[in-house]
Amino acid sequence: MDDVWKTIGELARSFRERDDERKVPTEQQWTLQVLKIGEEFGEAAQAVIGVHGTNPRKGTSHTWEEVQAEVADTAITALVALARMRPDAAEFFARVLADKSSRFLAPAQPSLDEAEAVELL
């Protein structure tokens, strides 16, 4: 996961530098990056519609692999947005993930060592 965050950080830095050159204020940079998440989600939604062929003008126009690629684009864009807003993005994301997942996943049971397991028998 460190390689992922390294790449995300490089993308965030590159986009920030481009926006800084254009003199885009920081909060506007963040706003535009968050809006980009919506754009990417829209492309994923369009691909799902294309898989099911529910657009009468286009018919079946996409595959599930294309949907998956659009979902990945959405995730990447969201992580870049977080990295642009927070220098501690990886740690912040890990904390939020732990908090959110604890609501849906049962807590891990401590494992018994061999001696404790024998005592239980």
Side-chain angles (χ1 to χ4, degrees):
M1 199 59 151
D2 288 340
D3 288 344
V4 170
W5 280 107
K6 181 180 178 202
T7 302
I8 294 296
E10 290 171 1
L11 287 168
R13 180 187 46 74
S14 173
F15 298 154
R16 183 186 64 247
E17 287 173 358
R18 281 190 225 160
D19 285 346
D20 286 347
E21 288 172 7
R22 294 176 29 234
K23 308 236 185 301
V24 178
T26 300
E27 286 189 14
Q28 187 177 356
Q29 291 181 32
W30 297 352
T31 300
L32 293 170
Q33 187 70 39
V34 170
L35 291 174
K36 182 72 175 157
I37 298 166
E39 178 188 0
E40 293 299 339
F41 167 75
E43 292 174 10
Q46 184 177 32
V48 170
I49 289 167
V51 164
H52 290 284
T54 56
N55 182 332
R57 290 182 300 108
K58 296 181 180 179
T60 302
S61 60
H62 289 77
T63 66
W64 279 111
E65 188 165 338
E66 290 170 317
V67 172
Q68 294 157 8
E70 294 297 346
V71 169
D73 284 350
T74 305
I76 291 164
T77 302
L79 293 177
V80 169
L82 186 60
R84 292 185 76 176
M85 291 187 272
R86 295 190 66 106
D88 66 339
E91 294 81 13
F92 180 78
F93 180 80
R95 286 193 311 271
V96 172
L97 178 61
D99 178 56
K100 300 288 183 184
S101 64
S102 71
R103 300 174 194 178
F104 299 98
L105 303 175
Q109 299 296 320
S111 61
L112 300 176
D113 67 17
E114 193 173 315
E116 292 172 317
V118 169
E119 286 180 24
L120 291 175
L121 297 175

